[in-house]
Amino acid sequence: MFAFWFKIPLWQRVVAALILGIATGFLWGPDSASLKWIGDFFIKAVKMLVVPLIFFSLVSGVAAIGDIRKLGRVGGRAMLLFIVTGQIAVWLGLAMGTFFGPGKGLDTSAIERGDTPPPNDTTWQEMVLSMVPESPVQVMADVQVLPLIVFALLVGIGILMAKEEGEPVAKIFDSGAVIMQKVTMIVMELTPFGVFALMAWVAGVLGLDALQSLAKLVALNYIGCLIIIFVIYSAMIKFLAKLPVRDFFRGIVDAMAVSYSTASSNATIPVTLRCTQRNLGVSRSVSSFVVSLGATINMNGTAMYMGLATLFGAQIFNVDLSMGDYLMISITGTLGAIGAAGIPGSGLIMMALVFGSVGVPLETIAFVAGVDRIMDMMRTTTNVSGDAAVATTVAAMTGEIDREEMISADDI
Ligand code: ASP
């Protein structure tokens, strides 16, 4: 029985749970709200992972650079591309959310509101101050993600500066990051149950209207990701790397397929490395540096979704957002994407950071969690393609690419 259950790939179990959940909600009606605690259990379990995941994966990601001087030529360009594309991505999500209003007109008064963060009226000075961790331990206990990211980056830089003496601690963080990924995989096994309960709750309490809004959100998530992949990355390859776009995509097909099915940038790293080195001719040093760092901090699909989902939450709960709030979302959305670890569901967890910054009710997370996995698969494909695009572009700009190696269309 157990063996049979685990033999079915997780994503298939999730899709089945989604359909069953919707059916249960329709048949059982508003009473299916009694199942919601199972969904909350799942979300709580995922939230539990936030602090240790970010801390371990970010510190080990920075330490993976190996040499602080490497941050210069290659690192500087890669970081610039990561940040510029990340910003474009969040604004794309915000633009689509504003233009298509996926959550507009949905009556959510039947949903019991949980903890709603107060609307944000902090000044930018206060925001800068809030990024300084007064006490790292307190920051972790309160799950304050921004100062935690700052602290993790500093620890990573400290490890690099300590050179050999920092190595033992770097190893501890590497191993901690791997362990946390395993713990995450365990928690992810709860996904089908969480998805089932949350979909039954949404369908039972809010009915068809809610499903239509969620379907719009999923569709926009896919469209946004496809725009990023085929417009932004294509432009980067064509104009910055000056390489044939078709060959680039042919070269990374494997990585795209693996990332879509695993919903994990980290799990895809070996395939992304192989694709960039073997199919695209990127040098070993540039590809391992950019791809491993990118899997931790370069998440454009996730960044786009942060913008889109925050507007969705604001629309379903009638929260008015000002231009200042949009700016805030663009900052916290990018930081949230940086802080998200390359594992399934981490984008969902990081939404709390963005929601909290502009006063969107955290209940939105439970509302969208039922369909998150399907969106996560596409976000991850976008994230991984972005890592490959940046690695290829930086390699082309710094003469670290072997153009002969770049596979020709006939070879595949
Ligand atoms: N699963 C994504 C990744 O691994 C992150 C996310 O949840 O958006 O890249």
Side-chain angles (χ1 to χ4, degrees), residues 9 20 75 130 171 202 217 222 237 242 268 290 362 367 379:
L20 262 173
S130 72
K171 280 217 175 86
V202 170
L217 180 71
Y222 271 73
I237 294 297
K242 301 199 172 31
T268 317
V290 177
L362 298 184
F367 193 77
R379 294 201 299 261

Side-chain angles (χ1 to χ4, degrees), residues 263-266 299 302 340-348 376 379-380 383:
S264 167
S265 297
N266 280 357
M299 303 213 171
T302 309
I343 48 147
S346 63
L348 181 73
D376 192 5
R379 294 201 299 261
T380 311
N383 298 344

